[in-house]
Amino acid sequence: MSETAAPPTRAALSQRQVRTVLVGLLLGLFLGALDQTIVSSAIRVIADELHGQTAQAWITTAYLITSTISTPLYGKLSDIYGRKPLYLTAISLFLAGSLLCGTAGSIYQLAAFRAVQGLGGGGLMSLGLTIVSDMVPPRQRSRYQGYFMATFGVASVIGPVIGGLFAGMDSFLGIDGWRWVFLVNLPLGLVALVVVSKVLNVVTERVEHRVDYLGAVALVVALVPLLTVAEQGREWGWGSPLALTMFGIGALGLVLFLLAERRMGAEALLPLRMFRLPSFRMGNALNFLVGIGMFGGLTTVPLYLQIVKGLDPTQAGLMLLPMSLGIGFTSGMGGKLIARTGRLKPFPIIGTALMATGLFLLGLIDADTSLVTLGAITFVMGAGLGMLMQTLTLVVQTDATPRDLGVATGSVNLFRQTGGTVGAAALLSILFSTVGGRIGEAMRAATASPEFLAALRDPAVREDPANQAFLASAGGGQPMDLNDTSFLHHLDPRLAHPVLEGFASAMSTVFFTGACVVVVAFALSWFLRDVRLD
């Protein structure tokens, strides 16, 4: 039997006023969404330039850690001080982080500056969704949140292309091309600041809260050591004293977080009483699992395109368009169907099924898979994501009271990005911990290949300086350096093929792992309540 969600009270605004406010919100969202998609297509070039390919996960996870922690804080602080001041603060911090990222001189320095950027990014999406929830009734939220997904889709379409374009330039206006991946945020952000300061004048009821800073610190203590060992465990050894110390600190941080949340009660960063609400509990479990699969896939597909298929960053960005189109198509269609029927449950079921199918199919690719096939598969994965992103936000909001709306909406990004942080760190760790062995297997298999053997004997190949470092490593003289993969594009194709096969095989393992996680989400989605929105 379906249930009806009780509508919270909200300020009465005309359609014109709602649309005016929406313009400012969409500009802020566009800023954050564009950054994520720009970086995805440029990340191989950035990591190669900073000689940190095997440590590139920190570029993503540093951003996700701070944005994850700051997201619920924005919800709480905006309840106290109002939505507009916090939204402007989020944009300002994001711009400061973008400027710093454009000056980074090492992979770890860039990760630190991405953490600053994430402090602002945590508020861009969650506050926008909260403000929409302040203005419109639950059943109509899907229509307006559909605009958010459409904006995300537009950013997803043009972001990879712009990122690839900048990453492919040696320099632009006297500055390294890849640095513009971050600096391009500055003019866009300044426009967003001006527009938001003028149009975002929604009056909401202020709620007095205590801010759970202790819980936020404890969550950092829990997450950072666990993510560090996920990234470095392959080098330290999973059972080494250092790794075990990190596991212990992470476990201690989790215990401190639970104690802090219990102590703060209703004012907790993530009130434990919220987990008694079925839709909140199940919706955020799905957000966490989907986040693992989503970020695992989004970080690995661009690497496959640029490392294995040899595409330049602009071409790789264009090849991400089918995924973006899939997200935009199903998010728009889903928003209209929810507004018409008021039903939510079918969409997470269909979305997780499509996403798992896409990831399983990605797990079947190899070095010779056609780009047409890859585009079709990524469209399927994108279609699944489009069904899930706004729908799971609505699921979590259905049980929330007006007092808890900011916390509930913030929790969506908290769980999704925590899952994404775990997914990016763990799955990229799987990639770089297995790729060496897979390359070794492919190299041994290549010794039976006439083409590979002919290349080894070819005097022109042996005398070419571009091949000599590879030949030395193949002969056991020195290990292959995977921190900079640009050498693959200069190798004789016959020599490069087993290395590319090794990368493709390791990436297949990543995709299969992500698919298994999303299958669990598919199974859980059947247990969602069949809520009908008013």
Side-chain angles (χ1 to χ4, degrees), residues 246-269:
M246 289 294 179
F247 283 127
I249 295 172
L252 177 61
L254 180 59
V255 171
L256 291 175
F257 176 72
L258 293 174
L259 291 174
E261 302 311 273
R262 182 177 179 182
R263 173 177 169 271
M264 292 294 290
E267 302 296 344
L269 187 72

Side-chain angles (χ1 to χ4, degrees), residues 203-521:
V203 178
T204 56
E205 181 182 352
R206 302 289 179 90
V207 180
E208 289 301 320
H209 286 299
R210 288 183 297 154
V211 181
D212 185 15
Y213 294 114
L214 181 60
V217 172
L219 191 55
V220 171
V221 174
L223 282 177
V224 173
L226 295 177
L227 294 171
T228 301
V229 76
E231 170 60 25
Q232 299 294 329
R234 65 181 185 273
E235 295 180 8
W236 296 344
W238 299 105
S240 67
L242 188 53
L244 293 176
T245 300
M246 289 294 179
F247 283 127
I249 295 172
L252 177 61
L254 180 59
V255 171
L256 291 175
F257 176 72
L258 293 174
L259 291 174
E261 302 311 273
R262 182 177 179 182
R263 173 177 169 271
M264 292 294 290
E267 302 296 344
L269 187 72
L270 193 62
L272 298 182
R273 61 180 170 77
M274 299 286 286
F275 288 95
R276 301 192 192 105
L277 306 176
S279 294
F280 180 92
R281 184 172 60 243
M282 186 61 70
N284 278 324
L286 292 175
N287 274 313
F288 178 79
L289 295 171
V290 167
I292 293 176
M294 176 174 71
F295 280 92
L298 291 177
T299 53
T300 308
V301 169
L303 292 178
Y304 173 83
L305 289 168
Q306 294 182 61
I307 294 176
V308 178
K309 304 304 287 185
L311 301 187
D312 65 38
T314 303
Q315 292 169 332
L318 289 169
M319 278 304 303
L320 294 175
L321 293 184
M323 183 185 295
S324 302
L325 292 174
I327 292 172
F329 175 72
T330 55
S331 64
M333 179 182 67
K336 291 177 182 178
L337 289 174
I338 292 170
R340 185 181 305 162
T341 65
R343 294 193 66 192
L344 294 174
K345 184 174 180 177
F347 298 97
I349 295 173
I350 298 170
T352 50
L354 287 172
M355 189 176 172
T357 300
L359 285 167
F360 271 123
L361 291 174
L362 284 172
L364 299 175
I365 63 177
D366 57 28
D368 300 315
T369 300
S370 74
L371 293 178
V372 173
T373 300
L374 184 69
I377 295 172
T378 56
F379 179 87
V380 173
M381 181 179 170
L385 281 172
M387 284 278 187
L388 291 165
M389 294 177 72
Q390 64 168 325
T391 307
L392 291 179
T393 300
L394 292 169
V395 167
V396 172
Q397 289 176 339
T398 53
D399 285 338
T401 64
R403 176 184 176 87
D404 291 325
L405 194 56
V407 173
T409 307
S411 74
V412 173
N413 279 353
L414 174 67
F415 280 92
R416 183 181 296 152
Q417 292 185 176
T418 300
T421 307
V422 172
L427 295 181
L428 285 177
S429 181
I430 290 173
L431 170 61
F432 287 106
S433 63
T434 59
V435 70
R438 301 296 173 83
I439 291 174
E441 292 171 7
M443 291 287 289
R444 287 190 289 275
T447 57
S449 166
E451 293 83 2
F452 185 77
L453 293 175
L456 290 178
R457 299 190 190 103
D458 188 338
V461 171
R462 299 185 67 85
E463 292 171 8
D464 187 343
N467 298 321
Q468 289 175 0
F470 173 82
L471 291 170
S473 64
Q478 60 188 55
M480 191 179 299
D481 183 6
L482 299 180
N483 278 304
D484 183 352
T485 59
S486 59
F487 75 93
L488 290 171
H489 307 310
H490 307 295
L491 277 181
D492 183 283
R494 294 168 294 178
L495 297 180
H497 192 267
V499 182
L500 302 182
E501 283 286 1
F503 266 106
S505 176
M507 290 175 184
S508 293
T509 302
V510 170
F511 292 129
F512 271 126
T513 304
C516 291
V517 173
V518 179
V519 165
V520 176

